[in-house]
Amino acid sequence: MTDRHPAAALVALARVLLEDAGLEPAKAAVVAEVLVEADLLGHDTHGLQLLLPYLGALDAGTMTASGAVDVVSDRGAVALWDGRWLPGVWLTAAAVDEAVARAGRYGTATITIRHSHHIACLAAFLERATRHGMMVHLASSDPSAASVAPHGGRRAVMTPNPIGIGIPTADEPILIDVSTSITTNGMSGRLAKEGRRFDHPWLVDASGNATDDPTVLQADPRGAILPVGGLDHGHKGYALGLWVEAMTQALGGFGRADAPDRWGAAVFVQVTDPRAFAGDEAFRRQSDWLAAACRATPTAPDTEAVRLPGERALAHKRAALVDGVALYPGILEGLRAETVRRGLDWPSALAG
Amino acid sequence: MTDRHPAAALVALARVLLEDAGLEPAKAAVVAEVLVEADLLGHDTHGLQLLLPYLGALDAGTMTASGAVDVVSDRGAVALWDGRWLPGVWLTAAAVDEAVARAGRYGTATITIRHSHHIACLAAFLERATRHGMMVHLASSDPSAASVAPHGGRRAVMTPNPIGIGIPTADEPILIDVSTSITTNGMSGRLAKEGRRFDHPWLVDASGNATDDPTVLQADPRGAILPVGGLDHGHKGYALGLWVEAMTQALGGFGRADAPDRWGAAVFVQVTDPRAFAGDEAFRRQSDWLAAACRATPTAPDTEAVRLPGERALAHKRAALVDGVALYPGILEGLRAETVRRGLDWPSALAG
């Protein structure tokens, strides 16, 4: 079961499972496609790894399976959606698509979503905008959880609060997906489960001592992940994390002040059309120059090449579309057990 | 000359000097006020420290002394201004004020400025928006300069590319001003001049070796400042720096691809009105909760208190408005020599 698998067969499997758990077919199609997109890009903590938890949330009724968003406010260039705990992956994809359409008219379009369920991998939404020649800026937080300490603190207040940015160039886009914490919940959970440690002291224990041990997040009392910059200059990551909290929860009007106990997300989506500024050609002239300059930078010792954000992910995707997707150990086994549990057939196109 | 000086007297002195160098009085008033605002906030590398260089640019004609911006495009919710190398401080203040007015209508307003002169301190513009209950997001780069290496590289491609964010709360605003590099050109220059080093290896020399020595920026061949995250996780700061380049230069249509040799800035200004989303009260409910939660976080060893971004700066400002502004050594002496050179009187309200 450690073979490579055709992306289309994985998407089909995920669709069948999501539909079996009650998700509307059109939404199941989008969620399945975006989760596999994350695996194609190599973000394997935020791809099909999430399918079982999503199925569990559908079964439990904590992820809404059908219906549309409630539009709370709409001024054309900005809107606030109440996501009614629908799948965050579907909501975010819909918001990016809608913002692309609106940015063509207003120059930018901003949609915030409250009461979204989890949104998975920010990088997997970016090409929905960049393929139209547009920039996109995403941000997400989960007000029901906290694993990241403010700079100088030893108790978690925020989530990793990722920022996703897509920048079109004449060649492939620059795809940015960075948490404002040094590492993520997904990676910490994986290493803890496997008895591994981080390469650097990226967390603090409950006494505030720096540590490379991811199990401090499960200890009692709990430790916390450090913001980007760490002990050294973590005031910067802390500041950016606060910004994400404000963009997502404060603009959306639902967040930590409401003490939610339901796994979910507060989401910020903004798309910008270069044609409303200096134009497509002028934009790409600068972004192409920058991409070329970075790639041409002589390297520091022990560095093979200076890469652009997303470069390795897009190469991973190209290869995986040809050779198949190699899932992280355990994921396919878990899905196979789930199909058995649900009395579904295992697809013949998948090995194992 | 190391006494404290009344802010109003410093503003008046700066106005007189800027007007003497030919700057239109209304623009001189704004530039003087914003430079002193930076000193009030304690950002003393980006306050009156910049006045002599600005006067030099006015004298040389590389900073435009009069006239309006050229509007390149305008869709209401977004606009692109050509700043004609007018003072960036005045341009940015005008763009924030204009975006505040427009955000009230569209929900967000975005203005990019190309051919701006230097814009000084991002933090000094933020309260222009937050005092109206609005969020503001600024970013700036200088396409004529490079001091920051891409992650894994040993040659500078970008500038420190700061991001400024203002977030209103019911109490004082959260004011964020962080470069996407670990440290700034201003701080590196100051330490180099004084023969000092950084506390940590925040730069690389021309061979790519990490160093705490700021003089590598003046060496031949030159070193570079590392992006936020440093050798450890600098791919995050690098990614954010690229984003700033795209927001400022690519949207503006003027940047490194044009190989400018004139000190200046490419500027991104965005203001967001919470009233177009969940509303003022809902916004502040979340931002207040977050501010209180951060302040209440128990501290790590050797940390006095968890602070909010801008908290220390606003306390510094309150004290300086009462007790006077203590300028960094050498600044007032330089301005005094400049008044003598220009045949102007030294204000009686200033000591020394």
Side-chain angles (χ1 to χ4, degrees), chain A residues 180-215:
Chain A
T180 55
S181 53
I182 299 189
T183 187
T184 62
N185 296 334
M187 189 54 76
S188 301
R190 178 176 286 179
L191 293 191
K193 200 171 154 190
E194 298 173 359
R196 292 161 62 200
R197 287 174 174 253
F198 285 106
D199 292 337
H200 302 278
W202 285 349
L203 304 97
V204 284
D205 64 21
S207 305
N209 302 304
T211 178
D212 58 4
D213 179 3
T215 67

Side-chain angles (χ1 to χ4, degrees), chain B:
Chain B
M1 307 247 289
T2 54
D3 296 330
R4 294 178 171 274
H5 312 282
L10 293 172
V11 173
L13 170 65
R15 281 181 72 162
V16 167
L17 284 164
L18 288 161
E19 287 189 33
D20 188 72
L23 188 59
E24 282 180 344
K27 294 183 172 67
V30 173
V31 175
E33 183 204 321
V34 174
L35 287 182
V36 174
E37 174 76 8
D39 283 311
L40 283 168
L41 292 167
H43 291 256
D44 64 7
T45 53
H46 286 72
L48 286 176
Q49 173 99 58
L50 291 162
L51 186 54
L52 287 186
Y54 287 4
L55 294 170
L58 284 164
D59 288 343
T62 54
M63 181 188 281
T64 303
S66 63
V69 302
D70 287 337
V71 176
V72 181
S73 72
D74 192 341
R75 293 208 193 167
V78 313
L80 168 58
W81 292 355
D82 188 316
R84 298 177 44 251
W85 307 102
L86 284 158
V89 171
W90 176 78
L91 287 166
T92 304
V96 172
D97 295 349
E98 178 69 21
V100 164
R102 292 179 181 216
R105 175 167 175 197
Y106 294 100
T108 66
T110 307
I111 298 173
T112 56
I113 312 169
R114 71 185 182 201
H115 300 155
S116 167
H117 207 285
H118 188 259
I119 75 164
C121 172
L122 269 59
F125 301 100
L126 303 176
E127 286 186 277
R128 299 180 93 91
T130 59
R131 73 167 67 105
H132 299 283
M134 298 201 185
M135 280 186 77
V136 55
H137 170 201
L138 306 179
S140 166
S141 64
D142 180 355
S144 77
S147 55
V148 179
H151 184 58
R154 58 183 164 90
R155 191 168 65 197
V157 171
M158 293 184 281
T159 26
N161 293 3
I163 294 175
I165 310 288
I167 303 170
T169 74
D171 186 17
E172 63 183 25
I174 298 172
L175 303 181
I176 295 169
D177 182 350
V178 290
S179 58
T180 57
S181 54
I182 300 190
T183 188
T184 62
N185 296 333
M187 189 54 77
S188 301
R190 179 177 285 178
L191 293 191
K193 202 171 152 189
E194 298 174 359
R196 293 160 62 199
R197 285 171 176 255
F198 285 105
D199 292 337
H200 303 277
W202 285 349
L203 304 96
V204 284
D205 65 20
S207 303
N209 302 305
T211 178
D212 58 5
D213 179 4
T215 66
V216 297
L217 295 180
Q218 287 126 32
D220 182 17
R222 279 178 82 212
I225 301 173
L226 290 169
V228 161
L231 297 174
D232 188 44
H233 54 285
H235 62 289
K236 300 203 179 199
Y238 165 43
L240 296 171
L242 287 168
W243 180 32
V244 171
E245 296 270 318
M247 277 193 277
T248 57
Q249 297 169 39
L251 282 182
F254 180 81
R256 298 188 192 283
D258 305 289
D261 59 1
R262 190 165 168 172
W263 184 30
V267 188
F268 175 94
V269 171
Q270 183 169 78
V271 173
T272 301
D273 187 354
R275 284 155 285 223
F277 294 84
D280 236 357
E281 204 180 318
F283 186 96
R284 290 178 190 220
R285 186 161 168 266
Q286 301 298 333
S287 61
D288 288 356
W289 189 96
L290 185 65
C294 288
R295 285 204 179 98
T297 308
T299 57
D302 304 323
T303 301
E304 188 192 325
V306 172
R307 289 198 188 81
L308 287 167
E311 186 175 327
R312 191 148 34 178
L314 288 167
H316 191 279
K317 178 176 168 181
R318 276 193 301 275
L321 284 173
V322 174
D323 304 331
V325 181
L327 293 174
Y328 198 81
I331 292 178
L332 207 68
E333 293 79 349
L335 296 180
R336 188 178 175 92
E338 183 73 5
T339 57
V340 170
R341 195 180 71 79
R342 290 180 182 272
L344 299 168
D345 290 332
W346 187 249
S348 58
L350 290 175

Side-chain angles (χ1 to χ4, degrees), chain A residues 299-331:
Chain A
T299 57
D302 304 321
T303 301
E304 189 191 324
V306 172
R307 289 198 188 82
L308 287 167
E311 186 175 328
R312 190 148 34 176
L314 288 166
H316 191 279
K317 178 177 168 180
R318 277 192 301 273
L321 285 172
V322 174
D323 303 331
V325 181
L327 293 175
Y328 197 81
I331 292 178

